[in-house]
Amino acid sequence: MGGCRRSLLLLGFMFVIMAYYQWDMLPQKRAERIHQRQELRKQSLREMCAAEEAFSEGKRSLDDMSNGELRNLIVDDKHGIIYCYIPKVGCTNWKRVFFVLKQGEPYPDPMSIEGEMVHMPNMVPLLNSFPRTEMKAKLKHYTKFLFVRDPFVRLISAYRDKMLGNQKYFYENYGWKILRLYGNQPAPHLAGEAFASGIRPSFYNFIQYLVDPRTEMNEPFEPHWRQMHRLCHPCLIKYDFVGHQETLQEDTEHILKTLMLEDDIKFPPSNKNMTSTTSVLDWFRTVPLEDRRKLYKIYEKDFKLFGYRKPSELLDG
């Protein structure tokens, strides 16, 4: 009996040792997985950029770009990092992080910073506020990263936030025009009047607006639905880290750990109301096949550059 008990104790001890060893290996395995994923993302980006010069829109270097084209790059000199923000890809939370980094230690909790405030001018230091020589030096030596998202999921998120939300600016500058052109209904110009009556552009109206050639001819897309590569120029700027919204938690933890900030900065949690990839088909049910295909052509470069699969279930008749 004693021998049986000793065998059981020994077996239990071995299980504890194995569990501890596996637990101890978890961070290392996670780091290896993230590293491999990053290498694949960056390799895919390099190959796509090399294959199609059109991705850089005829530009070959920073010298070919205006200061306005670099307006989405945020800088933190202390940690030597540059982040290119893309609306509807967690950029409010990353702006909060850069805002608290600017405050210095001890860093405030990013969640204590009002989201609207960090979008105001001069709240975070932008790359294009520096002289050209400094901009070039920072781009050469600093760690550069961006976050991207499935292009169609990002569009749905933009529609939900800017067209369905009670946002006066977006209704009076975009929603009203969209309704007038594609809504086939009287559309009050004033947001208050429209919101009180429950008047909003439909998702299909929004897609009609995007695929209409006149939209881009009149002015570039508003940044919340402008193509991601046009905001961050990944074929001209060599990014060290390409984060995806779909792996946000792991990617942000890795960046903060690389900067040795994981104990000082707690990245704000994701929006629980975030659009899921599984609901994309439901959103597009009202959009005719021809318009879906036109929309894909508009965002095709984003799909290809950032490794998102072509949504064949939406595009095959």
Side-chain angles (χ1 to χ4, degrees):
M1 194 73 178
C4 184
R5 187 180 292 116
R6 279 197 299 273
S7 296
L8 286 171
L9 285 170
L10 183 62
L11 192 62
F13 180 70
M14 286 172 64
F15 274 123
V16 169
I17 294 293
M18 286 169 65
Y20 177 80
Y21 178 74
Q22 287 176 341
W23 176 261
D24 195 46
M25 289 294 288
L26 279 176
Q28 185 181 334
K29 285 183 178 178
R30 179 187 285 190
E32 286 173 4
R33 184 175 70 246
I34 294 170
H35 176 73
Q36 289 170 358
R37 192 165 62 205
Q38 275 303 305
E39 289 308 305
L40 285 172
R41 287 176 185 173
K42 291 191 289 185
Q43 182 183 343
S44 174
L45 195 53
R46 286 193 299 268
E47 288 173 357
M48 292 306 303
C49 288
E52 297 200 39
E53 199 174 293
F55 287 149
S56 56
E57 298 181 334
K59 298 179 174 67
R60 296 186 178 278
S61 70
L62 181 66
D63 295 324
D64 298 325
M65 299 171 71
S66 67
N67 277 9
E69 290 175 293
L70 299 166
R71 68 169 66 91
N72 285 55
L73 295 157
I74 302 173
V75 182
D76 180 68
D77 285 319
K78 181 181 176 183
H79 298 93
I81 50 174
I82 294 174
Y83 159 62
C84 185
Y85 73 89
I86 296 173
K88 306 313 302 173
V89 193
C91 76
T92 299
N93 286 337
W94 272 112
K95 283 185 176 183
R96 282 175 165 143
V97 169
F98 273 79
F99 181 81
V100 302
L101 289 178
K102 191 175 75 166
Q103 307 310 302
E105 299 179 63
Y107 302 114
D109 180 359
M111 274 306 287
S112 68
I113 310 302
E114 180 59 46
E116 289 298 317
M117 188 189 77
V118 294
H119 294 300
M120 294 170 65
N122 305 316
M123 288 294 110
V124 288
L126 299 177
L127 182 71
N128 66 3
S129 65
F130 294 91
R132 276 269 158 169
T133 49
E134 283 190 48
M135 287 165 61
K136 284 184 178 180
K138 292 177 197 296
L139 279 169
K140 183 177 180 181
H141 298 292
Y142 284 10
T143 299
K144 300 166 289 296
F145 71 96
L146 79 165
F147 273 79
V148 295
R149 186 180 193 178
D150 179 286
F152 280 3
V153 176
R154 177 173 171 255
L155 270 188
I156 293 166
S157 180
Y159 169 76
R160 291 175 64 186
D161 185 22
K162 304 307 177 189
M163 298 296 155
L164 294 186
N166 292 340
Q167 300 218 21
K168 182 175 183 286
Y169 170 83
F170 279 90
Y171 177 81
E172 294 184 355
N173 285 275
Y174 299 97
W176 170 73
K177 294 175 186 174
I178 291 170
L179 280 166
R180 182 170 54 86
L181 289 168
Y182 317 104
N184 297 320
Q185 62 174 306
H189 198 164
L190 296 177
E193 194 180 333
F195 298 161
S197 306
I199 294 172
R200 302 284 194 286
S202 69
F203 183 63
Y204 177 40
N205 293 156
F206 180 57
I207 300 305
Q208 286 175 291
Y209 166 74
L210 294 175
V211 301
D212 188 335
R214 294 174 296 179
T215 302
E216 184 73 31
M217 281 170 58
N218 290 336
E219 58 182 353
F221 279 1
E222 202 280 335
H224 286 83
W225 45 86
R226 192 177 304 170
Q227 296 93 326
M228 295 182 288
H229 73 276
R230 293 173 69 190
L231 294 169
C232 290
H233 319 287
C235 291
L236 294 171
I237 296 171
K238 188 179 178 182
Y239 288 95
D240 302 286
F241 192 92
V242 181
H244 279 208
Q245 183 81 4
E246 295 79 8
T247 51
L248 178 70
Q249 187 176 345
E250 272 198 346
D251 289 349
T252 52
E253 283 177 9
H254 181 77
I255 290 172
L256 292 174
K257 194 167 185 176
T258 302
L259 299 171
M260 293 182 289
L261 289 168
E262 74 272 25
D263 296 327
D264 301 314
I265 301 282
K266 184 174 171 55
F267 193 82
S270 300
N271 185 350
K272 290 179 182 176
N273 201 27
M274 202 164 64
T275 308
S276 70
T277 48
T278 53
S279 66
V280 172
L281 197 57
D282 290 332
W283 279 97
F284 276 90
R285 288 191 196 283
T286 59
V287 180
L289 182 61
E290 185 184 351
D291 286 328
R292 295 180 192 183
R293 288 172 174 170
K294 287 179 183 175
L295 190 72
Y296 177 75
K297 292 303 290 183
I298 291 171
Y299 292 93
E300 184 175 22
K301 289 178 184 177
D302 278 352
F303 276 98
K304 288 185 173 181
L305 282 166
F306 301 117
Y308 288 99
R309 69 170 191 86
K310 184 178 181 178
S312 301
E313 66 278 8
L314 295 176
L315 306 172
D316 294 342

